Amino acid sequence: MSNRTEIATLGEFGLIRHLTEKIELKNRSSVKGVGDDAAVLDYTDKQVLVTTDLLLEGIHFDLMYVPLKHLGYKSAIVNFSDIYAMNGRPKQITVSLGISKRFCIEDLEEFYAGIQLACDIYGVDLVGGDTSASRTGLAISITCIGEGEKGKVVYRSGAKETDLICVSGDLGAAYMGLQLLEREKSVFKGEKDFTPDFSGKEYLLERQLKPEARKDIVEALEQAGIIPTAMMDVSDGLSSELLHISKASDVGCRIYEERIPIDYQTAMMAEQFNMNLVTAALNGGEDYELLFTVPLTDHDKVQAMKGIKVIGHITKPELGNYLVGRDGGEVELRAQGWNSLA
Amino acid sequence: MSNRTEIATLGEFGLIRHLTEKIELKNRSSVKGVGDDAAVLDYTDKQVLVTTDLLLEGIHFDLMYVPLKHLGYKSAIVNFSDIYAMNGRPKQITVSLGISKRFCIEDLEEFYAGIQLACDIYGVDLVGGDTSASRTGLAISITCIGEGEKGKVVYRSGAKETDLICVSGDLGAAYMGLQLLEREKSVFKGEKDFTPDFSGKEYLLERQLKPEARKDIVEALEQAGIIPTAMMDVSDGLSSELLHISKASDVGCRIYEERIPIDYQTAMMAEQFNMNLVTAALNGGEDYELLFTVPLTDHDKVQAMKGIKVIGHITKPELGNYLVGRDGGEVELRAQGWNSLA
């Protein structure tokens, strides 16, 4: 970056003003945005959905290979994804940052540019937030507020026996992208002249560095007249999310290995890294695809939808949670998600 | 503390379940709390107020002298205060924590006990949040959602010429409490046998360690039929907040030194520390009192209210922002708030 303006030149209030002064509110429900003690929203005829995420440097992201603009974009997207996972529409976000001295104003402008890009694409208003110092790494706290139609909000707890289990897109690619970046980072550390070779793996990097939230799927479900019985986004990995739905709905599930959607690049990469492909797809995390269940009577409707795969079905709770392999063998699903506390 | 249970024994999902399983929702607007991708709220006939705060160890708090239960309580209170400052009522909060390995489950139970106590006293529901690892210190991200009556939400921007400037309670005590704790901490570091002596200074410590939000004042204003023209809470210091109101409302202000409410213990402490008392009251911060303006016609009403002091009046913008001293001399107000980035 060519310029470097120290944050002290603006001060805390100057900084947040500088970063937010060009923001224009788009949504009818955004009454008052940045610049008061609280944002003011109007949700007269809707239900209000609220989700929040705290992202910490060294735990949730590594600035060695994540550009700040991408980080801003992804930070917003992961929150939008939670709102879509309730069958809702994200409408507002607030962004709080804890920043250490090594960041300059241009860095934060980059981060905010990513946030703003995500907001523009998904029709979301940035309505609040603040910046403060951090003793150590970058801390990002985002809260997203969305609207849900009364009676159409979808919880984790509504899955019923015989329901079909569906998933959007494909799984495991974001995890493979992370493996790729981690490998290149360790190679990079050992060599002086080094240009990472990512050709043929662009999709994996994109899934890791610039994921999207499945607005299109939520809209397609609405157009098809489908209200899922349960829904979640796949952030910790398919296994972990399925177990959440089973627990919350008091059911069991069977999914089929051969039906799990996996991209060609993901499969190639697993081969190259000598990793188990199904494990990566089940436990990888950060896919931000939608996992949902629909009544058996919606079978033809979901079959007709683009980008949706039926991967199994809901069972009685006493039948447990299993993956049926290509050979017909059954393996119990376990939560091996990204449990950063374990 | 007698017990120490490592967090790894519960895992991330187990931990958040353990900390939140006893939570019962109190408010009609809280449809669904912890345990899904997002909380679901119903604000059909109200406006929704949203405020968020990111608190980082070593910047916003020092665990050397802040007990975790107090920290939880205060973290909630400072967010409630922002909602009251909009003439609103806090109804829900979400709490996200970034925690390092040195914390055990009992520590987090203490923190949550403080959050829960604040929620019980102020009638607020804890509806979401998560925990993740932190490489370094404790990171606390809180979002508070509140309701405002349509047409009665009070912004910073409504102050008009001749309006009276009012403040609740007294100022500077929280800052003096902090000075006291910092001093005792440095004394403590130098000695082996040491019991801090806080007698006669309990009020200062309470204001720093266990502040309250002025729910009572917002309710009293409603009962008195007063809707302030502008309002803020005093978190960064009176000077800083007055300048925010002047800027947002495009006005100036005059406040009078002799009218600034200061507690006896604050005054004693300033004397003892050889600090300028008025500077402490103007720039101290963390008082969480309400600063508001009312039309001149409400003079008798505010005079009759307990715990409210009229400290000055709003002027034309070209007259600037001044403190009128006891000797009649005028000093321009400047923002010397807690600018942790400068």
Side-chain angles (χ1 to χ4, degrees):
Chain A
M1 215 156 309
S2 51
N3 292 316
R4 181 177 167 92
T5 313
E6 296 305 325
I7 286 164
T9 59
L10 286 181
E12 183 184 348
F13 299 124
L15 175 61
I16 196 72
R17 207 179 305 127
H18 174 77
L19 294 171
T20 59
E21 66 192 348
K22 286 188 197 122
I23 293 170
E24 287 178 14
L25 301 181
K26 300 177 281 276
N27 290 313
R28 193 193 53 80
S29 55
S30 305
V31 179
K32 164 78 184 177
V34 175
D36 218 299
D37 295 288
V40 181
L41 315 176
D42 193 319
Y43 274 77
T44 302
D45 49 354
K46 306 282 183 183
Q47 284 190 310
V48 185
L49 308 173
V50 180
T51 182
T52 184
D53 248 320
L54 177 61
L55 305 172
L56 301 172
E57 186 176 347
I59 302 286
H60 302 97
F61 57 88
D62 184 337
L63 290 174
M64 275 252 339
Y65 50 70
V66 181
L68 280 163
K69 187 172 177 182
H70 284 73
L71 183 61
Y73 192 86
K74 184 169 173 175
S75 303
I77 291 295
V78 302
N79 280 279
F80 299 168
S81 183
D82 277 324
I83 299 292
Y84 290 121
M86 304 294 288
N87 200 27
R89 308 292 192 274
K91 292 292 168 181
Q92 289 91 16
I93 57 168
T94 65
V95 179
S96 297
L97 298 178
I99 45 189
S100 61
K101 291 222 161 128
R102 74 196 154 91
F103 293 98
C104 64
I105 288 173
E106 287 76 13
D107 292 334
L108 299 178
E109 284 172 350
E110 279 292 296
F111 180 84
Y112 263 77
I115 293 269
Q116 197 56 60
L117 180 61
C119 284
D120 288 345
I121 292 173
Y122 288 83
V124 173
D125 289 325
L126 177 57
V127 296
D130 62 285
T131 56
S132 70
S134 163
R135 281 239 167 153
T136 50
L138 181 62
I140 305 165
S141 164
I142 295 197
T143 294
C144 185
I145 302 112
E147 65 177 36
E149 299 272 348
K150 278 174 199 178
K152 294 187 180 174
V153 171
V154 178
Y155 298 92
R156 300 175 180 184
S157 54
K160 299 266 179 309
E161 204 191 324
T162 77
D163 279 0
L164 299 171
I165 300 169
C166 309
V167 70
S168 66
D170 59 79
L171 301 175
Y175 177 73
M176 283 301 177
L178 181 65
Q179 299 309 309
L180 185 60
L181 287 165
E182 287 285 348
R183 188 190 60 172
E184 300 298 313
K185 180 176 143 183
S186 37
V187 173
F188 177 70
K189 280 182 177 167
E191 291 186 27
K192 267 188 171 174
D193 281 322
F194 168 73
T195 312
D197 179 19
F198 294 136
S199 67
K201 306 186 179 78
E202 295 82 358
Y203 180 67
L204 305 179
L205 291 181
E206 196 181 309
R207 291 285 282 178
Q208 171 58 229
L209 294 175
K210 193 169 175 290
E212 300 293 343
R214 299 312 303 260
K215 180 178 196 263
D216 56 336
I217 298 293
V218 170
E219 289 170 352
L221 285 168
E222 187 182 22
Q223 284 186 346
I226 299 171
I227 299 176
T229 49
M231 186 152 61
M232 286 187 73
D233 68 330
V234 183
S235 53
D236 290 315
L238 180 64
S239 275
S240 171
E241 318 302 4
L242 273 171
L243 291 173
H244 277 303
I245 287 180
S246 287
K247 191 179 162 90
S249 302
D250 191 24
V251 296
C253 70
R254 283 281 180 296
I255 59 167
Y256 297 86
E257 181 182 343
E258 62 186 10
R259 294 186 151 272
I260 296 173
I262 293 170
D263 185 79
Y264 176 77
Q265 288 190 12
T266 309
M268 288 297 290
M269 192 73 195
E271 179 84 22
Q272 211 177 310
F273 277 15
N274 204 19
M275 292 175 76
N276 185 309
L277 179 58
V278 177
T279 302
L282 283 179
N283 302 315
E286 295 203 286
D287 294 311
Y288 303 107
E289 295 296 343
L290 290 174
L291 169 70
F292 56 94
T293 56
V294 298
L296 198 50
T297 49
D298 279 340
H299 178 266
D300 293 352
K301 284 188 196 167
V302 289
Q303 281 289 51
M305 281 177 70
K306 265 185 73 175
I308 299 288
K309 198 94 181 260
V310 177
I311 61 168
H313 58 269
I314 297 294
T315 65
K316 287 189 207 308
E318 55 269 31
L319 295 179
N321 301 282
Y322 286 90
L323 172 77
V324 182
R326 288 176 200 274
D327 58 1
E330 299 196 341
V331 185
E332 186 161 14
L333 293 176
R334 287 189 304 162
Q336 294 176 323
W338 286 22
N339 192 336
S340 54
L341 290 173
Chain B
M1 216 157 308
S2 52
N3 292 316
R4 180 178 169 91
T5 313
E6 296 305 325
I7 287 164
T9 59
L10 286 180
E12 182 184 350
F13 300 124
L15 175 61
I16 196 73
R17 207 179 305 127
H18 174 77
L19 293 171
T20 59
E21 65 192 348
K22 286 188 199 124
I23 292 171
E24 287 177 15
L25 302 180
K26 300 177 281 275
N27 291 312
R28 192 194 53 81
S29 56
S30 305
V31 179
K32 164 79 185 175
V34 175
D36 218 300
D37 294 289
V40 181
L41 315 177
D42 193 318
Y43 274 77
T44 302
D45 49 354
K46 306 282 182 182
Q47 285 191 310
V48 186
L49 309 173
V50 180
T51 182
T52 185
D53 248 318
L54 177 60
L55 304 172
L56 301 172
E57 186 176 345
I59 302 286
H60 302 98
F61 56 89
D62 184 337
L63 290 175
M64 271 243 354
Y65 50 70
V66 182
L68 280 163
K69 188 171 176 184
H70 283 73
L71 183 61
Y73 192 86
K74 184 169 174 175
S75 303
I77 291 296
V78 303
N79 280 279
F80 300 168
S81 183
D82 277 324
I83 299 292
Y84 289 121
M86 304 295 286
N87 200 27
R89 308 293 190 275
K91 292 292 170 183
Q92 288 92 15
I93 58 168
T94 66
V95 179
S96 298
L97 298 178
I99 44 191
S100 62
K101 291 221 161 131
R102 75 193 154 92
F103 292 98
C104 64
I105 289 173
E106 288 76 12
D107 293 334
L108 299 178
E109 284 172 350
E110 279 292 298
F111 180 84
Y112 263 78
I115 293 269
Q116 197 56 59
L117 180 62
C119 285
D120 288 344
I121 292 173
Y122 288 83
V124 173
D125 289 325
L126 177 56
V127 296
D130 62 285
T131 57
S132 70
S134 162
R135 281 238 167 155
T136 49
L138 180 62
I140 305 165
S141 165
I142 295 198
T143 294
C144 185
I145 303 111
E147 64 177 36
E149 300 273 347
K150 279 177 197 175
K152 294 186 180 175
V153 171
V154 178
Y155 298 92
R156 299 176 179 182
S157 54
K160 299 268 179 310
E161 203 190 326
T162 78
D163 278 0
L164 299 172
I165 300 169
C166 309
V167 70
S168 65
D170 59 80
L171 301 175
Y175 177 72
M176 283 302 175
L178 182 65
Q179 299 309 309
L180 184 61
L181 287 164
E182 287 284 349
R183 189 191 59 173
E184 299 300 312
K185 179 175 143 184
S186 37
V187 172
F188 177 70
K189 279 181 177 165
E191 292 186 25
K192 268 189 171 172
D193 280 324
F194 169 73
T195 314
D197 179 18
F198 294 136
S199 68
K201 305 185 178 82
E202 294 83 359
Y203 180 68
L204 305 179
L205 290 181
E206 196 180 308
R207 292 285 282 178
Q208 172 56 229
L209 294 175
K210 193 169 176 290
E212 300 293 343
R214 300 310 306 259
K215 180 179 195 263
D216 56 336
I217 297 292
V218 169
E219 289 170 351
L221 286 168
E222 188 182 22
Q223 284 187 345
I226 299 172
I227 300 176
T229 48
M231 187 153 60
M232 286 188 73
D233 68 329
V234 183
S235 53
D236 290 316
L238 180 65
S239 275
S240 171
E241 317 303 4
L242 273 172
L243 291 172
H244 278 304
I245 287 180
S246 287
K247 193 180 162 89
S249 302
D250 191 24
V251 295
C253 70
R254 283 281 180 297
I255 59 167
Y256 297 85
E257 181 183 341
E258 61 186 9
R259 294 185 151 274
I260 296 174
I262 293 170
D263 184 79
Y264 176 77
Q265 288 191 11
T266 309
M268 289 297 290
M269 193 74 196
E271 180 84 21
Q272 211 176 310
F273 277 15
N274 204 18
M275 292 175 76
N276 185 309
L277 179 59
V278 176
T279 302
L282 284 178
N283 302 315
E286 294 202 286
D287 293 311
Y288 303 108
E289 295 295 342
L290 290 173
L291 170 69
F292 57 94
T293 56
V294 298
L296 199 48
T297 49
D298 279 340
H299 177 268
D300 293 352
K301 283 188 199 168
V302 289
Q303 281 289 51
M305 281 176 71
K306 267 185 73 174
I308 299 289
K309 198 95 179 258
V310 177
I311 61 168
H313 58 269
I314 297 294
T315 65
K316 287 188 209 302
E318 55 269 31
L319 295 181
N321 301 282
Y322 285 91
L323 172 77
V324 182
R326 288 178 199 273
D327 58 0
E330 299 196 340
V331 186
E332 187 161 14
L333 292 176
R334 286 189 305 163
Q336 293 177 325
W338 285 22
N339 191 336
S340 55
L341 290 172

